[in-house]
Amino acid sequence: TQLLEQSPQFLSIQEGENLTVYCNSSSVFSSLQWYRQEPGEGPVLLVTVVTGGEVKKLKRLTFQFGDARKDSSLHITAAQPGDTGLYLCAGVISAGGTSYGKLTFGQGTILTVHP
Amino acid sequence: DAGVIQSPRHEVTEMGQEVTLRCKPISGHNSLFWYRQTMMRGLELLIYFNNNVPIDDSGMPEDRFSAKMPNASFSTLKIQPSEPRDSAVYFCASSSTSGYTDTQYFGPGTRLTVL
């Protein structure tokens, strides 16, 4: 059972389309991060959100942390082929359990943007 | 500036053989993480060092896995004996501060195949 569920697992769209990737959990997170990973490389941190309801923008990417700090979303506007990659959310559980304090990753969303 | 360096980039070995993966963190970083990535389980934290001391090794699968950090610029992850189910991409990451939530810089990974 994954602590962080990402959806969709696969996304194939045309250049110019908008998309949203979701990251959900039943646990509360003290912080949540989004990474992007390209084939043959390690993940690269895009953003960290720490406050419930927080919204951060990075050019065409908009990240939102849920009010209850249990979920997050990544929205890409006007996707480009260069956005192709694996998008991972990762969070630190705020209290209790064996995963407390650790950075736990979701399974990831594989995004393909066709020219 | 050099990022996290891992070697080898690819390793193919036979079941039962010893495998040693190597990592050189970014100079000045005092935290080092070893991760394993598979399609089935995603990205999993294996072990976390801070100032060369293992802080959390609860993610190490079993006694066949061991990790060392003899100095601030070098770490190894050893698997002895290796098994086919160990096949995965192993990542090393480093961070300039302690804890899991600060920016972690990932290396390019070592793709391990155990036949």
Side-chain angles (χ1 to χ4, degrees), chain B residues 6-23:
Chain B
Q6 292 187 248
S7 64
R9 291 295 311 274
H10 302 272
E11 177 80 35
V12 180
T13 190
E14 293 188 346
M15 182 174 64
Q17 295 298 306
E18 177 180 297
V19 175
T20 299
L21 311 181
R22 297 172 176 81
C23 174

PDB file of all heavy atoms in Angstrom, chain B residues 6-23:
ATOM      1  N   GLN B   6      28.091   8.964  -9.272  1.00  0.00           N
ATOM      2  CA  GLN B   6      27.882   7.558  -8.941  1.00  0.00           C
ATOM      3  C   GLN B   6      28.626   6.674  -9.937  1.00  0.00           C
ATOM      4  O   GLN B   6      28.718   6.996 -11.120  1.00  0.00           O
ATOM      5  CB  GLN B   6      26.395   7.201  -8.971  1.00  0.00           C
ATOM      6  CG  GLN B   6      25.582   7.844  -7.863  1.00  0.00           C
ATOM      7  CD  GLN B   6      24.149   7.333  -7.825  1.00  0.00           C
ATOM      8  OE1 GLN B   6      23.203   8.063  -8.103  1.00  0.00           O
ATOM      9  NE2 GLN B   6      23.993   6.059  -7.468  1.00  0.00           N
ATOM     10  N   SER B   7      29.127   5.570  -9.421  1.00  0.00           N
ATOM     11  CA  SER B   7      29.761   4.598 -10.311  1.00  0.00           C
ATOM     12  C   SER B   7      29.533   3.187  -9.788  1.00  0.00           C
ATOM     13  O   SER B   7      29.369   2.991  -8.575  1.00  0.00           O
ATOM     14  CB  SER B   7      31.271   4.875 -10.406  1.00  0.00           C
ATOM     15  OG  SER B   7      31.883   4.681  -9.147  1.00  0.00           O
ATOM     16  N   PRO B   8      29.452   2.222 -10.681  1.00  0.00           N
ATOM     17  CA  PRO B   8      29.348   2.393 -12.117  1.00  0.00           C
ATOM     18  C   PRO B   8      27.959   2.888 -12.518  1.00  0.00           C
ATOM     19  O   PRO B   8      27.058   2.921 -11.691  1.00  0.00           O
ATOM     20  CB  PRO B   8      29.588   0.968 -12.638  1.00  0.00           C
ATOM     21  CG  PRO B   8      29.016   0.087 -11.567  1.00  0.00           C
ATOM     22  CD  PRO B   8      29.334   0.799 -10.268  1.00  0.00           C
ATOM     23  N   ARG B   9      27.765   3.265 -13.752  1.00  0.00           N
ATOM     24  CA  ARG B   9      26.439   3.673 -14.219  1.00  0.00           C
ATOM     25  C   ARG B   9      25.576   2.450 -14.519  1.00  0.00           C
ATOM     26  O   ARG B   9      24.361   2.489 -14.358  1.00  0.00           O
ATOM     27  CB  ARG B   9      26.558   4.535 -15.473  1.00  0.00           C
ATOM     28  CG  ARG B   9      27.171   5.900 -15.244  1.00  0.00           C
ATOM     29  CD  ARG B   9      26.292   6.785 -14.343  1.00  0.00           C
ATOM     30  NE  ARG B   9      24.906   6.816 -14.768  1.00  0.00           N
ATOM     31  CZ  ARG B   9      24.437   7.645 -15.670  1.00  0.00           C
ATOM     32  NH1 ARG B   9      25.226   8.534 -16.233  1.00  0.00           N
ATOM     33  NH2 ARG B   9      23.141   7.632 -16.010  1.00  0.00           N
ATOM     34  N   HIS B  10      26.225   1.386 -14.943  1.00  0.00           N
ATOM     35  CA  HIS B  10      25.521   0.141 -15.223  1.00  0.00           C
ATOM     36  C   HIS B  10      26.340  -1.015 -14.660  1.00  0.00           C
ATOM     37  O   HIS B  10      27.564  -1.007 -14.733  1.00  0.00           O
ATOM     38  CB  HIS B  10      25.335  -0.081 -16.735  1.00  0.00           C
ATOM     39  CG  HIS B  10      24.595   1.028 -17.407  1.00  0.00           C
ATOM     40  ND1 HIS B  10      23.228   1.051 -17.509  1.00  0.00           N
ATOM     41  CD2 HIS B  10      25.034   2.157 -18.009  1.00  0.00           C
ATOM     42  CE1 HIS B  10      22.848   2.141 -18.143  1.00  0.00           C
ATOM     43  NE2 HIS B  10      23.919   2.840 -18.457  1.00  0.00           N
ATOM     44  N   GLU B  11      25.618  -1.990 -14.082  1.00  0.00           N
ATOM     45  CA  GLU B  11      26.296  -3.168 -13.540  1.00  0.00           C
ATOM     46  C   GLU B  11      25.435  -4.377 -13.840  1.00  0.00           C
ATOM     47  O   GLU B  11      24.249  -4.403 -13.509  1.00  0.00           O
ATOM     48  CB  GLU B  11      26.483  -3.016 -12.023  1.00  0.00           C
ATOM     49  CG  GLU B  11      27.108  -4.206 -11.333  1.00  0.00           C
ATOM     50  CD  GLU B  11      28.603  -4.260 -11.475  1.00  0.00           C
ATOM     51  OE1 GLU B  11      29.239  -3.187 -11.497  1.00  0.00           O
ATOM     52  OE2 GLU B  11      29.160  -5.368 -11.574  1.00  0.00           O
ATOM     53  N   VAL B  12      26.046  -5.354 -14.468  1.00  0.00           N
ATOM     54  CA  VAL B  12      25.363  -6.623 -14.726  1.00  0.00           C
ATOM     55  C   VAL B  12      26.163  -7.713 -14.027  1.00  0.00           C
ATOM     56  O   VAL B  12      27.374  -7.821 -14.243  1.00  0.00           O
ATOM     57  CB  VAL B  12      25.259  -6.934 -16.232  1.00  0.00           C
ATOM     58  CG1 VAL B  12      24.539  -8.271 -16.439  1.00  0.00           C
ATOM     59  CG2 VAL B  12      24.523  -5.823 -16.959  1.00  0.00           C
ATOM     60  N   THR B  13      25.505  -8.486 -13.207  1.00  0.00           N
ATOM     61  CA  THR B  13      26.207  -9.507 -12.447  1.00  0.00           C
ATOM     62  C   THR B  13      25.338 -10.744 -12.340  1.00  0.00           C
ATOM     63  O   THR B  13      24.154 -10.730 -12.681  1.00  0.00           O
ATOM     64  CB  THR B  13      26.576  -8.987 -11.050  1.00  0.00           C
ATOM     65  OG1 THR B  13      27.463  -9.908 -10.408  1.00  0.00           O
ATOM     66  CG2 THR B  13      25.327  -8.820 -10.187  1.00  0.00           C
ATOM     67  N   GLU B  14      25.935 -11.794 -11.866  1.00  0.00           N
ATOM     68  CA  GLU B  14      25.185 -13.035 -11.694  1.00  0.00           C
ATOM     69  C   GLU B  14      24.779 -13.206 -10.235  1.00  0.00           C
ATOM     70  O   GLU B  14      25.482 -12.762  -9.325  1.00  0.00           O
ATOM     71  CB  GLU B  14      26.022 -14.225 -12.175  1.00  0.00           C
ATOM     72  CG  GLU B  14      26.263 -14.219 -13.681  1.00  0.00           C
ATOM     73  CD  GLU B  14      26.914 -15.494 -14.167  1.00  0.00           C
ATOM     74  OE1 GLU B  14      27.422 -16.269 -13.328  1.00  0.00           O
ATOM     75  OE2 GLU B  14      26.913 -15.719 -15.399  1.00  0.00           O
ATOM     76  N   MET B  15      23.680 -13.887 -10.067  1.00  0.00           N
ATOM     77  CA  MET B  15      23.175 -14.168  -8.725  1.00  0.00           C
ATOM     78  C   MET B  15      24.274 -14.759  -7.852  1.00  0.00           C
ATOM     79  O   MET B  15      25.029 -15.633  -8.294  1.00  0.00           O
ATOM     80  CB  MET B  15      21.998 -15.140  -8.830  1.00  0.00           C
ATOM     81  CG  MET B  15      21.350 -15.490  -7.518  1.00  0.00           C
ATOM     82  SD  MET B  15      19.864 -16.488  -7.766  1.00  0.00           S
ATOM     83  CE  MET B  15      20.571 -17.959  -8.491  1.00  0.00           C
ATOM     84  N   GLY B  16      24.372 -14.263  -6.632  1.00  0.00           N
ATOM     85  CA  GLY B  16      25.359 -14.773  -5.700  1.00  0.00           C
ATOM     86  C   GLY B  16      26.626 -13.948  -5.632  1.00  0.00           C
ATOM     87  O   GLY B  16      27.409 -14.079  -4.680  1.00  0.00           O
ATOM     88  N   GLN B  17      26.841 -13.100  -6.622  1.00  0.00           N
ATOM     89  CA  GLN B  17      28.040 -12.280  -6.644  1.00  0.00           C
ATOM     90  C   GLN B  17      27.876 -11.053  -5.738  1.00  0.00           C
ATOM     91  O   GLN B  17      26.767 -10.581  -5.479  1.00  0.00           O
ATOM     92  CB  GLN B  17      28.350 -11.812  -8.071  1.00  0.00           C
ATOM     93  CG  GLN B  17      28.689 -12.945  -9.022  1.00  0.00           C
ATOM     94  CD  GLN B  17      29.928 -13.692  -8.598  1.00  0.00           C
ATOM     95  OE1 GLN B  17      30.986 -13.108  -8.398  1.00  0.00           O
ATOM     96  NE2 GLN B  17      29.807 -15.009  -8.444  1.00  0.00           N
ATOM     97  N   GLU B  18      29.010 -10.521  -5.309  1.00  0.00           N
ATOM     98  CA  GLU B  18      29.016  -9.291  -4.522  1.00  0.00           C
ATOM     99  C   GLU B  18      29.002  -8.082  -5.449  1.00  0.00           C
ATOM    100  O   GLU B  18      29.679  -8.082  -6.479  1.00  0.00           O
ATOM    101  CB  GLU B  18      30.266  -9.241  -3.638  1.00  0.00           C
ATOM    102  CG  GLU B  18      30.402  -7.966  -2.820  1.00  0.00           C
ATOM    103  CD  GLU B  18      31.649  -7.972  -1.956  1.00  0.00           C
ATOM    104  OE1 GLU B  18      31.747  -8.833  -1.065  1.00  0.00           O
ATOM    105  OE2 GLU B  18      32.522  -7.098  -2.176  1.00  0.00           O
ATOM    106  N   VAL B  19      28.195  -7.098  -5.089  1.00  0.00           N
ATOM    107  CA  VAL B  19      28.090  -5.875  -5.883  1.00  0.00           C
ATOM    108  C   VAL B  19      28.386  -4.681  -4.981  1.00  0.00           C
ATOM    109  O   VAL B  19      27.871  -4.608  -3.857  1.00  0.00           O
ATOM    110  CB  VAL B  19      26.663  -5.718  -6.459  1.00  0.00           C
ATOM    111  CG1 VAL B  19      26.529  -4.385  -7.170  1.00  0.00           C
ATOM    112  CG2 VAL B  19      26.352  -6.868  -7.412  1.00  0.00           C
ATOM    113  N   THR B  20      29.226  -3.769  -5.449  1.00  0.00           N
ATOM    114  CA  THR B  20      29.524  -2.549  -4.701  1.00  0.00           C
ATOM    115  C   THR B  20      29.223  -1.334  -5.558  1.00  0.00           C
ATOM    116  O   THR B  20      29.769  -1.187  -6.646  1.00  0.00           O
ATOM    117  CB  THR B  20      30.992  -2.513  -4.248  1.00  0.00           C
ATOM    118  OG1 THR B  20      31.250  -3.638  -3.386  1.00  0.00           O
ATOM    119  CG2 THR B  20      31.267  -1.233  -3.466  1.00  0.00           C
ATOM    120  N   LEU B  21      28.341  -0.495  -5.047  1.00  0.00           N
ATOM    121  CA  LEU B  21      27.983   0.749  -5.720  1.00  0.00           C
ATOM    122  C   LEU B  21      28.652   1.901  -4.975  1.00  0.00           C
ATOM    123  O   LEU B  21      28.738   1.879  -3.741  1.00  0.00           O
ATOM    124  CB  LEU B  21      26.458   0.935  -5.723  1.00  0.00           C
ATOM    125  CG  LEU B  21      25.637  -0.271  -6.195  1.00  0.00           C
ATOM    126  CD1 LEU B  21      24.150   0.061  -6.172  1.00  0.00           C
ATOM    127  CD2 LEU B  21      26.068  -0.728  -7.573  1.00  0.00           C
ATOM    128  N   ARG B  22      29.091   2.903  -5.728  1.00  0.00           N
ATOM    129  CA  ARG B  22      29.869   3.985  -5.138  1.00  0.00           C
ATOM    130  C   ARG B  22      29.219   5.337  -5.364  1.00  0.00           C
ATOM    131  O   ARG B  22      28.545   5.543  -6.390  1.00  0.00           O
ATOM    132  CB  ARG B  22      31.284   3.970  -5.704  1.00  0.00           C
ATOM    133  CG  ARG B  22      32.049   2.697  -5.367  1.00  0.00           C
ATOM    134  CD  ARG B  22      33.370   2.608  -6.086  1.00  0.00           C
ATOM    135  NE  ARG B  22      34.127   1.433  -5.671  1.00  0.00           N
ATOM    136  CZ  ARG B  22      33.929   0.213  -6.138  1.00  0.00           C
ATOM    137  NH1 ARG B  22      32.990  -0.006  -7.040  1.00  0.00           N
ATOM    138  NH2 ARG B  22      34.662  -0.799  -5.686  1.00  0.00           N
ATOM    139  N   CYS B  23      29.451   6.230  -4.418  1.00  0.00           N
ATOM    140  CA  CYS B  23      28.849   7.563  -4.501  1.00  0.00           C
ATOM    141  C   CYS B  23      29.806   8.603  -3.951  1.00  0.00           C
ATOM    142  O   CYS B  23      30.402   8.430  -2.878  1.00  0.00           O
ATOM    143  CB  CYS B  23      27.536   7.599  -3.730  1.00  0.00           C
ATOM    144  SG  CYS B  23      26.776   9.240  -3.623  1.00  0.00           S
TER     145      CYS B  23
END
